[in-house]
Amino acid sequence: MLAVLSGGTGTPKLLQGIARLLEPEDLSIIVNTAEDVEVSGLHVAPDLDTVMYTLAGIVNEETWYGIRGDTFTCHELLRRLGERELLRIGDRDRAVKLRRTLLLKRGKALSDVTKELCTSLGVRANVIPMSDDQLQTRIETEAGTLSFHKFWVVRRAADKVKGVSFEGIENAKPAPGVLDAIHKSRAVVIGPSNPVTSIGPIMAIEEIKVALLRNREKVIVVSPIVGDAAVSGPAGELMRGIGYKVSPLGVARIYREVASAMLIDRKDEKLAERIERFGIRVALADLLMPDTPSRVRLAREVLSLAGIRRGVVSSI
């Protein structure tokens, strides 16, 4: 079994490749929920939705958010009526979020709701929110404390970052199945998602961090940074803001306690020796994933590094 820690952008691309190489029952994905937010009364879980839609084969690959070919009639009419939503939510996507919200209001835990949604969408892999508890990413900037969505979606990372915290993290517990996935998997892959606000909240939950430390020998990192820039999203601004160099070396510093191996881009080979001083074995690969073949190719590299060699057994 393989466990993957995921946010909502880079890692789902890799998951698309992995899902073509492993049986879905052999794959567990632990997903960030610290960016969950309420929009028009709906519980919006952006990273969970992107992972679910990716594995269901319906994700909008132009944005890696929402459902391919969705319409926006409700969102546009709300705007016309004077209701401006923080996020642009498609009509089919809204139905998923509404179903989640209704189930949560009936007293179900987020992890149970996620299982039910995955079943309805035909997703057989084990998709697990990092926690059933509510957490919120807070970004300290020169303009004040911002939510992740205000920082990135509204203000487009224009404000200098001074710090990042996770509200509610002190009492947060892993969702059921998270620790088992880490302990029982052949390997744990930290995907190429934002290390600060996508993977950071997962690792900030104490029991998850301890589980990763205890299983360090099988933890593999895929760098979200190529050269001196993030492949996508605000990872660069956030890393810089909390004192890390925007490079694969900076990523290695963030994960140095929990990782035993790391995939970096071939262009960054010159950094391999310095990363290995952290006790992290380095492998080289082409990390950019512009299309499905490149995602499958990188997935093979990841599985090979984990000692898992499997042929194509499924497609999405």
Side-chain angles (χ1 to χ4, degrees):
M1 188 169 76
L2 181 74
V4 181
L5 273 57
S6 180
T9 307
T11 305
K13 294 179 183 179
L14 177 61
L15 287 170
Q16 191 181 74
I18 292 174
R20 291 174 178 262
L21 302 174
L22 292 182
E23 295 286 358
E25 293 81 6
D26 291 335
L27 179 60
S28 293
I29 307 101
I30 300 163
V31 187
N32 170 45
T33 58
E35 293 169 20
D36 288 16
V37 65
E38 183 176 301
V39 177
S40 299
L42 301 175
H43 183 109
V44 176
D47 291 358
L48 274 174
D49 286 342
T50 296
V51 169
M52 288 194 303
Y53 297 161
T54 298
L55 296 174
I58 59 174
V59 72
N60 180 352
E61 292 189 23
E62 292 183 6
T63 60
W64 290 92
Y65 176 79
I67 295 174
R68 182 177 60 248
D70 212 345
T71 55
F72 295 86
T73 303
C74 184
H75 175 81
E76 290 164 2
L77 184 54
L78 280 171
R79 183 169 183 170
R80 181 178 173 185
L81 294 171
E83 187 68 34
R84 292 181 173 270
E85 294 185 308
L86 176 64
L87 301 175
R88 188 170 182 256
I89 301 173
D91 298 321
R92 285 187 289 162
D93 187 21
R94 191 179 298 269
V96 174
K97 291 165 170 48
L98 177 57
R99 177 63 172 164
R100 174 188 293 118
T101 304
L102 292 172
L103 290 173
L104 289 172
K105 285 185 176 180
R106 293 170 192 166
K108 289 196 173 186
L110 181 60
S111 53
D112 291 330
V113 173
T114 301
K115 287 180 183 177
E116 184 166 327
L117 291 174
C118 283
T119 298
S120 298
L121 292 169
V123 175
R124 291 158 54 203
N126 187 25
V127 180
I128 320 171
M130 67 185 195
S131 178
D132 284 330
D133 300 313
Q134 292 187 354
L135 296 96
Q136 285 292 310
T137 295
R138 294 287 181 254
I139 301 174
E140 301 291 335
T141 74
E142 292 183 337
T145 303
L146 305 175
S147 69
F148 175 82
H149 296 291
K150 188 164 186 181
F151 169 77
W152 175 235
V153 178
V154 177
R155 301 178 68 89
R156 303 306 298 174
D159 304 295
K160 185 176 180 180
V161 176
K162 299 168 64 178
V164 176
S165 62
F166 308 113
E167 187 177 287
I169 198 68
E170 299 83 2
N171 300 314
K173 298 293 182 183
V178 168
L179 299 182
D180 275 352
I182 293 172
H183 289 304
K184 295 180 180 179
S185 289
R186 173 76 175 271
V188 180
V189 175
I190 297 178
S193 293
N194 187 323
V196 181
T197 56
S198 291
I199 306 301
I202 303 175
M203 289 180 50
I205 297 175
E206 182 64 23
E207 290 180 62
I208 296 179
K209 178 71 174 292
V210 169
L212 292 171
L213 288 169
R214 289 177 177 171
N215 290 276
R216 183 180 186 271
E217 73 284 351
K218 62 183 185 183
V219 177
I220 298 167
V221 171
V222 181
S223 177
I225 305 292
V226 174
D228 60 357
V231 175
S232 63
E237 291 87 345
L238 291 161
M239 286 179 64
R240 195 177 297 111
I242 63 172
Y244 289 95
K245 186 175 181 180
V246 184
S247 74
L249 183 61
V251 174
R253 288 184 185 277
I254 291 175
Y255 294 130
R256 64 189 182 277
E257 290 183 284
V258 301
S260 65
M262 183 173 174
L263 269 168
I264 65 174
D265 196 85
R266 297 186 194 281
K267 298 174 184 175
D268 296 313
E269 182 177 6
K270 61 185 180 297
L271 296 175
E273 184 177 346
R274 295 174 68 186
I275 292 172
E276 288 176 341
R277 291 174 191 166
F278 292 125
I280 299 174
R281 180 165 52 104
V282 173
L284 303 176
D286 296 321
L287 296 190
L288 297 183
M289 296 178 281
D291 51 30
T292 300
S294 62
R295 293 161 200 161
V296 174
R297 189 162 51 247
L298 181 57
R300 287 190 187 280
E301 297 277 1
V302 171
L303 295 181
S304 177
L305 189 58
I308 301 171
R309 291 176 174 82
R310 297 286 293 275
V312 177
V313 294
S314 64
S315 63
I316 59 173

